[in-house]
Each structure stands twice: as C-alpha cells, then as structure tokens.
Amino acid sequence: MLKFMRNKVVGIERKDEDTLQAYGVLEDDIYAVELEVSIGLSDMVIRSIQGRFKRWTTPECPKAIPVLQQAVGFCALEEGFSQKVQKKIGRKGCRHFANLLVECCATAEQAAGLIRGRKAERVVAGSKGPGGTMQKEAKKHPEKSFEETRAARSEDRGGVVIDLHVHTYPASACSVARVDDVVVEAKRIGLDGICLMDHNYVWDRARVDELKRRHDFLILRGNEITTDQGDMLVLGLETPIQGIIKLDELRTMVSEAGGFIIAAHPFRGFLLFGSGQLGLTPEKAMERPLFKQVDGIEVLNSKVTEKENRFASEVAKGRGLPGTGGSDAHQVSDIGLYATRFFSKITSERELIDALRGGRYEAVAFKKEKDVF
Amino acid sequence: MPHILFFSRNRSTSVEHIDRSSAKACCRLQDSLMDALVEIKVKLPDLELTNVRAEVHRSDRAISAEAVESLRKAIGIRIGPGLLKIMKGLVGDREDLSELLNMLDECCQGVILSFTKDTLAKAPEDREKAKEYYAWLVKENVRLYDSCIAFAPDSPLVDGMKPPKGNDE
C-alpha cells in the first residue's frame, strides 16, 4: 500500500502576447493548494499571484495566503530564484505554496522557451568571497608575537575554550555575521578562541593573522566541507575543495596534510521528525562507514535538537571517537552557544590539531555554563 | 485568445514503505516536452539510497544513456539536509540532467514527507488540543520555530515561547 503520494499539475495558457498564465495544483496526503500566477513572457517576472488552500494542517496555515503577494516582482530567470521563493514564500508563508510556485514558474519557463524558439537562459550571478578570491596557496606568515601573547594567557587558565564551528559572511553565504563582529562577541562572552569553519572556503592565512593581531584574539582556520557522507569539519587542509567530494578522497587528502576530520552534526534531522522517530538506534548508526573515516564527532551543535546531540554523543562513545562542540554560528548571537574546552594551551592551528589528536578536551554548553547571553 | 493550454505538466511522486527496513519512491514526470521516471530504493532507518533508476521515454533534449546512468552516483548517500547540493556535486550540475535530478530530489522529499505525515496524523481533532499539540512539536524541535507562518514568532502556536538560540536556518 502506498504510504504517501503527491501530484502536481500545472497548465500554461498564453493569456496575451506578453503574458503567460500558470494554473497549478499540488495535492498530497498532507496538503492541497492551488495557485494562479501571471508571468511576463518577455521578462519572466511574476505580475500577479493568487492562492487557495483546499486542505491544510494547523489553524495558522491560511495566514500564508497574503504572503504570496511578496512574490510579485520576482523574476523566474534570476539566479537563486528557487531559494528566494523558499525563503520569502516558504519560510515566511507556506512551504507547499513555495514548492508549487517554483513548479509553476519552471513550467512557464519551458513554455516561454518554446514560444521564443529557444530556451531561456539563466542570468549568471557574479562570484563571491570575503575581501577577495579563494586562497590557492597558503602564504607563510609568522604568528610569533601573537602566539607568545596567547601562550601566556592560556597557561594562566590551564586551558582554553574554543568555538570550533563558526560561519562568517560573506565567506559563507548562509551567514549574516561579519568576522569582526564575531570576534568582538567571542571576546565579550569570554571565549578564548574561535575556529572559522566557512563552507568550502579556505581563509587566507595572512588575513587571519592580521585579524588576530588587530583583535588580540585566537582565530583559527578550518573548513566545513560537504561530502557524499555529509558535512565534515576539516582542520589542517590548505587545499580549497569546490563542490562535493567523496569522503574517502577527503580522508586521503587530510591524512596526507596531517589534518583532522570531525563529522559535523551527523544526525541532523528534518522539520517534523528526527533519527529517533525513524527507529535509528546508536548501535545501528555506529555501523555507518563514515564513522570509520573521521577522527571525531561533533556532539554539541546549536542547529540540531538536544536529542540529536545526545544521539551523536552516544555514537561517539560507542565508536570510541572524541566529541567536540561548536555553535555552528551563522549570526553573532549564536557564538559560543557550544564550544570545546581543551585542557592544554592552544596558540596555533598545529597545536589545535595536536590537541584534538591528544583527546584531552570536552564539548561544553559554553553560554549556558557561563550564563552569558 | 481561446483558452487552450499551450503547455501542461503532470508530476506524480509516490512512496511505498516496503518493509521495516526499506522504502521505494517513484517520480513520474509527463509534460509537453518530456516523459521520464526516476525510482529510488531507500534503506531504513538510515535513509540511505540503495538504488537509483531512471528512464527517459521522451525528451526535447538529448539525454544520453551515460547521463541517465550517472544518476546512480547518488547511491550510498543519505537523505538529509543539503541533499540536492550533494547530488548535484556527485552527479554533476549538467543542464541535460537538471530535470532528472529534480525528480530524484522529489523522490527523496516524498520519503521525508511519508514520515512527516505520521507525525502530523497524530494531531488531535479538537482545535485547542491541536494547538497544544503543534506548540509541543515546536518545543520539541528547534528547527520548526519560524520555519513557516504557522510557527512564526507571532503565531499563537509559539505563544510565550522564547526564540530558540541558533535557529536561523
């Protein structure tokens, strides 16, 4: 017997010389919604939109209908159109309307291509990067004076607490936190250091050294890399990785570089259910091949539920892998929600990797412990 | 102008839970330019793709057998956040495969929704009790807060709830 079915039907009518009218229906076991969208043929801009719910779940769902008007003016040819719809119509309104709107516009685009006798070409967006391009080769740069300062401070405290998972803008497009603001906040709440873990982005060493000196603060470089087995926090790898890489290939590269791999948020679930509800047990999860390839597991991450963090912790214990903590901050207020307390001083990236290998550390709910918000 | 459709599309995705350890999802697309099918098999509870199969019966663009076969590179990945990005990275973000990748994504979304359905089906009929149930769901799951208008900060379903820290995705 079928467990779930979704049908989407879209019809495109040419209303006049420069207008396509899309009529779409999405009906599945959970929702039934309809959309009528008027789209300019010459520019593929949404001119008007109307929506109706036929079936929905929560009493609040119908409030999503007025939100649809925000889509007026969106251009279906724009780079990132689908993500924009998910964000503005899905997150602020209803995800099912967003899904159907994307389908209506994609269908209209096909129709427009036929009418014009050619496929519509997508606008190519410019490249991004914080203050420059991706670093190709690490530059040698002394850290001496900073290291000396940090060493003295670490010895006083007998260890350091570092947020090992921080994203900044524009290095990570999904972040809204500028690196200077991140450092100011990290110092304010009493962290000893942060590790920049921007997505598939290698920070320039000289740039980070300049930040460290200017802020007199420990800033380390890592890289969150998406693999076929999920996201990995990688330390000690200078080679930029673009796109998706197989975990076994990444393992080889990181081993050759003398680096360290941490499985990031390995049990991040879905909107309405998590690993537990699927019947996944820690014992079963431990068998996943990925846990044979990594050096550690992130057991405290602020983007997953407490249950998922506990689950990761159980798997780490079961596999005999060390557990780390990091906020996965994408905004300044997230910094330090979770961190890793090391019981030895750390003043450089090499010392961080050595400390991670040594295993003398623990994941901590830093802000909660210190009661700083 | 007569109200004749210029272009039409039907996309149907179905999910079958075969047994406690496997599920199958199938997406069939038929529109004015294309007729294709993508089917996946998924291992439960890991949600790992154990098989991917595609058929293109009709298409306005040339899609080689090699391209269709390349979808099988997705075998071994687990359904989870960032799935489409991972699939594009493995299979290649090529124009001739974009629709087949969308269909593969629809299959995976269908599998997720087949479990979501179970959670939503437990909501009580009574309006007030249903509100309590949804509020409880939000408390249980940090990701749900501000994920759509029903769980927006000013929604009665999250009334009195502090914004969960770190919920910005």
Side-chain angles (χ1 to χ4, degrees), chain A residues 1-17 28-31 57-61 63-64 67 90-96 99 103 106-107 110-111 114-115 119 174 199-200 226-230 244 246 266 268-274 277-281 284-285 288 290 302-305 307-308 330-331 333-334 337 373, chain B residues 1-17 29 31-33 43-48 60-61 73 75-82 85-90 99 106 109-120 127 130-131 134 137 140-151 154-157 165-169:
Chain A
M1 183 178 162
L2 280 187
K3 177 77 175 175
F4 178 83
M5 190 166 202
R6 166 175 282 181
N7 290 304
K8 286 190 275 185
V9 178
V10 179
I12 305 291
E13 178 192 348
R14 192 169 182 186
K15 197 96 172 173
D16 58 41
E17 280 304 308
D28 65 28
D29 293 42
I30 305 170
Y31 285 84
T57 53
T58 83
E60 297 300 302
C61 292
K63 290 181 181 171
V67 178
R91 185 165 168 178
K92 298 296 174 194
C94 169
R95 288 168 184 268
H96 298 79
N99 183 303
E103 188 80 63
T107 312
Q110 295 270 302
L114 275 182
I115 291 168
K119 296 288 179 200
C174 51
H199 295 285
N200 291 66
T226 306
T227 75
D228 61 330
Q229 296 297 311
I244 310 298
K246 292 244 180 200
R268 188 162 65 177
F270 305 93
L271 273 180
L272 276 171
F273 65 94
Q277 285 147 285
L278 284 169
L280 185 66
T281 62
K284 186 92 181 155
R288 288 183 181 173
L290 90 96
S302 76
K303 303 295 180 193
V304 306
T305 66
K307 280 180 191 171
E308 286 157 1
H330 285 69
Q331 55 192 5
S333 60
D334 296 345
L337 283 168
F373 284 101
Chain B
M1 286 189 178
H3 298 287
I4 305 295
L5 282 187
F6 180 78
F7 194 100
S8 55
R9 167 176 290 182
N10 289 308
R11 188 194 296 275
S12 180
T13 307
S14 58
V15 181
E16 185 184 351
H17 288 193
L29 173 82
D31 68 23
S32 304
L33 294 174
K43 185 170 88 177
L44 302 176
D46 297 85
L47 298 182
E48 181 185 325
D60 67 316
R61 67 183 70 160
K73 288 180 186 169
I75 293 172
I77 68 172
R78 279 188 307 280
I79 297 175
K85 181 180 157 191
I86 294 175
M87 289 190 303
K88 281 183 177 171
L90 290 173
E99 191 50 63
E106 289 274 348
Q109 296 294 335
V111 173
I112 296 168
L113 287 164
S114 70
F115 288 99
T116 304
K117 177 184 162 185
D118 286 344
T119 304
L120 289 170
R127 190 179 167 87
K131 269 189 175 183
Y134 290 118
L137 279 181
E140 281 287 295
N141 196 332
V142 67
R143 282 181 293 268
L144 216 45
Y145 187 88
D146 207 14
S147 63
C148 67
I149 200 158
F151 304 119
D154 58 353
S155 164
L157 298 181
K165 288 285 174 187
N167 183 34
D168 73 331
E169 284 188 320

Side-chain angles (χ1 to χ4, degrees), chain B residues 19-152:
Chain B
D19 52 40
R20 288 176 65 84
S21 62
S22 60
K24 187 168 82 173
C26 179
C27 178
R28 175 77 184 259
L29 173 82
Q30 287 190 87
D31 68 23
S32 304
L33 294 174
M34 190 172 189
D35 180 357
L37 175 145
V38 171
E39 186 182 89
I40 62 169
K41 283 190 180 160
V42 178
K43 185 170 88 177
L44 302 176
D46 297 85
L47 298 182
E48 181 185 325
L49 296 182
T50 56
N51 197 24
V52 177
R53 184 175 73 86
E55 291 171 14
V56 179
H57 301 290
R58 172 172 54 80
S59 176
D60 67 316
R61 67 183 70 160
I63 303 176
S64 67
E66 170 269 325
V68 173
E69 187 66 15
S70 71
L71 280 185
R72 291 179 59 79
K73 288 180 186 169
I75 293 172
I77 68 172
R78 279 188 307 280
I79 297 175
L83 180 87
L84 191 56
K85 181 180 157 191
I86 294 175
M87 289 190 303
K88 281 183 177 171
L90 290 173
V91 175
D93 195 4
R94 22 196 298 191
E95 189 59 29
D96 62 338
L97 275 180
S98 62
E99 191 50 63
L100 291 178
L101 277 172
N102 282 339
M103 294 168 71
L104 181 53
D105 187 47
E106 289 274 348
C107 286
C108 296
Q109 296 294 335
V111 173
I112 296 168
L113 287 164
S114 70
F115 288 99
T116 304
K117 177 184 162 185
D118 286 344
T119 304
L120 289 170
K122 291 174 187 160
E125 292 279 333
D126 178 79
R127 190 179 167 87
E128 284 308 308
K129 284 183 179 165
K131 269 189 175 183
E132 284 172 22
Y133 179 76
Y134 290 118
W136 172 79
L137 279 181
V138 183
K139 279 180 189 149
E140 281 287 295
N141 196 332
V142 67
R143 282 181 293 268
L144 216 45
Y145 187 88
D146 207 14
S147 63
C148 67
I149 200 158
F151 304 119

Side-chain angles (χ1 to χ4, degrees), chain A residues 132-150:
Chain A
T133 54
M134 199 69 83
Q135 182 190 349
K136 287 203 171 118
E137 193 178 337
K139 293 175 188 167
K140 298 286 179 196
H141 198 283
E143 295 183 340
K144 209 168 185 179
S145 68
F146 176 79
E147 282 179 8
E148 285 167 359
T149 314
R150 288 303 314 172

Side-chain angles (χ1 to χ4, degrees), chain A residues 83-108:
Chain A
Q83 291 90 333
K84 189 174 173 181
V85 169
Q86 296 298 342
K87 196 171 179 181
K88 301 285 183 187
I89 305 301
R91 185 165 168 178
K92 298 296 174 194
C94 169
R95 288 168 184 268
H96 298 79
F97 270 137
N99 183 303
L100 183 58
L101 179 55
V102 169
E103 188 80 63
C104 285
C105 290
T107 312

Side-chain angles (χ1 to χ4, degrees), chain A residues 18-40:
Chain A
D18 193 38
T19 309
L20 295 176
Q21 186 76 11
Y23 174 68
V25 177
L26 178 156
E27 176 146 40
D28 65 28
D29 293 42
I30 305 170
Y31 285 84
V33 295
E34 295 177 2
L35 280 180
E36 275 184 72
V37 192
S38 182
I39 302 164

